Amino acid sequence: MSSTVTTDKPSFITRITARMDWRSNIIYVAFILVFILFAVTLGDSGFLSGTNLLNIVRQTATISVMAVAR
């Protein structure tokens, strides 16, 4: 009798999460979760409006430049 060995390939999500270092990326995951929370709860209040998103980019630009220049 021949025995067949099946090798189950891990899924795409499993491969990505296995390579991801959660400690170094947790701040980005938290930011995305907070962004989604505000987008859902304040959907029609203007959170995702162009003006508000431009204000967010302007307010974080200085800190982002300093963080990258470090």
Side-chain angles (χ1 to χ4, degrees):
M1 293 200 136
S2 67
S3 65
T4 58
V5 177
T6 59
T7 57
D8 293 331
K9 248 182 141 176
S11 69
F12 176 73
I13 300 296
T14 305
R15 286 183 286 164
I16 293 297
T17 56
R19 287 187 292 177
M20 183 181 284
D21 182 18
W22 286 102
R23 286 186 224 163
S24 64
N25 295 323
I26 192 69
I27 192 72
Y28 303 114
V29 173
F31 175 74
I32 291 170
L33 290 175
V34 168
F35 188 85
I36 291 171
L37 174 77
F38 279 122
V40 169
T41 57
L42 302 173
D44 293 334
S45 300
F47 180 73
L48 292 177
S49 69
T51 305
N52 188 47
L53 293 176
L54 185 59
N55 284 336
I56 292 171
V57 169
R58 284 181 184 159
Q59 291 172 2
T60 59
T62 307
I63 295 173
S64 300
V65 168
M66 286 189 291
V68 170
R70 179 185 150 221

